Amino acid sequence: MKKDSVCCPPSLIPSRETSLFYLLGVLIALYMLAGAAVFSSLERPAELQAHQLWENRLRDFSHEHRVSCEDLKHLLSLYEEARTAGIRTKQGRALWDISGAFYFVGTVVSTIGFGMTAPSTLTGKVLLVFYGLLGCSATLLFFNLFLERVIMLLSLQICWCHRGRSRQSDTAEGRASDGNRNEECKPSVYQVTLILFVAVLLVACGAASLYSVMEGWTYFESLYFCFVAFSTVGFGDFVSGQREHHEDTWVYQVANCLLMLLGVCCTYSLFNAISVIIKQGLNWILKTLALMCQGICHFRMQFRPIFKICFSDSEPSKCCCENDNLHRQQVKTVSTSAHSMLWRSCAPSAIGKCLCKVETVCDKNHDRTKKGQDICSYKNNVVYGRPLPTWLN
């Protein structure tokens, strides 16, 4: 953008990466504001209705069983504390046996964090900080390597297809086609995004079929859980493998862990590919804005001498540019053409007044085409109504 600038000081122009950072931050903020407005309009009435329904149920229960509302709310607050330790109204599977703890650390290192299980001891909380620091870093590295493997397999598939199509033509071209062949074998970001999207869709649909059978959810609820889990959002409203009879179905537990790992890998890779496309779009926006700014500055530079000629006696002010000599030549050319247009449209037919300054001197080699009419080439491009020089009277 520094090279494309015309009238802006170089010190005030941010770099392309800085501009990209600012633009992305502004777009994310606007995206979050739009999402907040939409979800608030959708979910706020349901929240108020749920609060009203809960207050009515508490009041009815208090009157029916002759229990004060304060005592009932105190009991419910104690249950909320017990829920963190794994106490549920319906008996579920053990949370901190070997399989339950393995499920917990899987949600930690994959950054899902359902919130269904959390350490209650101080030692466990401190250990979780260091355990998650190393585990999350290693898992993110695994996800990146998984994306590299996907790109490598896709490149090999594309190379195999190109090699089968152009085997006969490459024999005549020889070594000159090796560089072009390597470029053709590289998959585009759109191809990678499409492959990963199809992979995420297949894994999510297959996992949703399994969860709808094993968890008793609807198929839509299972798809919702798959997106929340695979995208590592992890709200905790739906959690798989927490029922009591799931302790005996070890096959389902293994399948659940494998589906979680595969889904998170594919979804994380898909997010990386989409982020590259978003960055390309932001670069295109920055380039468009730079061209618009350049066009506006160039437009102002072209018409500024005309405005100065019509409204002031001073010479056109020069703009801070990287190439001053080129700018002076452009200003001089535009001023000369502007002077010619104004002279033809404003010059009187009779001699007696001149539009030149007193200091303006005509060229000695002026040509008198008609009597009473002088055509002069002026050295000064500023034209205003002044008397003729004495040697022309």
Side-chain angles (χ1 to χ4, degrees), residues 354-362 378 380 382-392:
C354 182
L355 298 179
C356 304
K357 286 186 177 180
V358 178
E359 296 81 7
T360 303
V361 180
C362 292
Y378 295 95
N380 196 337
V382 182
V383 181
Y384 282 95
R386 297 298 173 84
L388 280 171
T390 55
W391 63 276
L392 286 177

Side-chain angles (χ1 to χ4, degrees), residues 74-141:
H74 179 67
L75 177 62
L76 293 175
S77 64
L78 294 178
Y79 172 72
E80 290 178 356
E81 295 179 358
R83 186 177 176 85
T84 307
I87 306 300
R88 301 290 185 271
T89 54
K90 293 182 180 180
Q91 185 64 30
R93 53 161 299 179
L95 299 179
W96 291 107
D97 58 351
I98 296 299
S99 59
F102 184 81
Y103 187 83
F104 165 74
V105 296
T107 59
V108 171
V109 299
S110 61
T111 68
I112 296 177
F114 287 119
M116 197 72 177
T117 308
S120 58
T121 62
L122 180 60
T123 306
K125 294 178 180 179
V126 173
L127 179 61
L128 179 63
V129 175
F130 298 98
Y131 183 86
L133 181 64
L134 182 61
C136 293
S137 302
T139 308
L140 291 178
L141 177 61

Side-chain angles (χ1 to χ4, degrees), residues 60-209:
D60 295 340
F61 186 85
S62 177
H63 289 310
E64 182 179 356
H65 298 277
R66 297 181 180 180
V67 180
S68 63
C69 292
E70 290 76 11
D71 295 338
L72 184 58
K73 291 181 179 180
H74 179 67
L75 177 62
L76 293 175
S77 64
L78 294 178
Y79 172 72
E80 290 178 356
E81 295 179 358
R83 186 177 176 85
T84 307
I87 306 300
R88 301 290 185 271
T89 54
K90 293 182 180 180
Q91 185 64 30
R93 53 161 299 179
L95 299 179
W96 291 107
D97 58 351
I98 296 299
S99 59
F102 184 81
Y103 187 83
F104 165 74
V105 296
T107 59
V108 171
V109 299
S110 61
T111 68
I112 296 177
F114 287 119
M116 197 72 177
T117 308
S120 58
T121 62
L122 180 60
T123 306
K125 294 178 180 179
V126 173
L127 179 61
L128 179 63
V129 175
F130 298 98
Y131 183 86
L133 181 64
L134 182 61
C136 293
S137 302
T139 308
L140 291 178
L141 177 61
F142 178 80
F143 293 160
N144 291 328
L145 294 177
F146 175 82
L147 179 59
E148 291 179 3
R149 303 285 84 74
V150 172
I151 296 175
M152 183 181 300
L153 291 175
L154 187 58
S155 300
L156 292 176
Q157 184 68 24
I158 294 176
C159 288
W160 182 78
C161 294
H162 281 288
R163 189 178 299 132
R165 293 177 181 178
S166 60
R167 182 175 300 174
Q168 296 179 355
S169 60
D170 288 343
T171 56
E173 294 179 0
R175 297 181 179 179
S177 62
D178 292 340
N180 296 331
R181 185 185 304 169
N182 293 331
E183 292 295 330
E184 292 177 354
C185 290
K186 294 181 180 179
S188 65
V189 64
Y190 303 102
Q191 293 175 340
V192 176
T193 304
L194 180 60
I195 294 299
L196 290 174
F197 179 77
V198 172
V200 170
L201 191 62
L202 292 177
V203 174
C205 291
S209 301

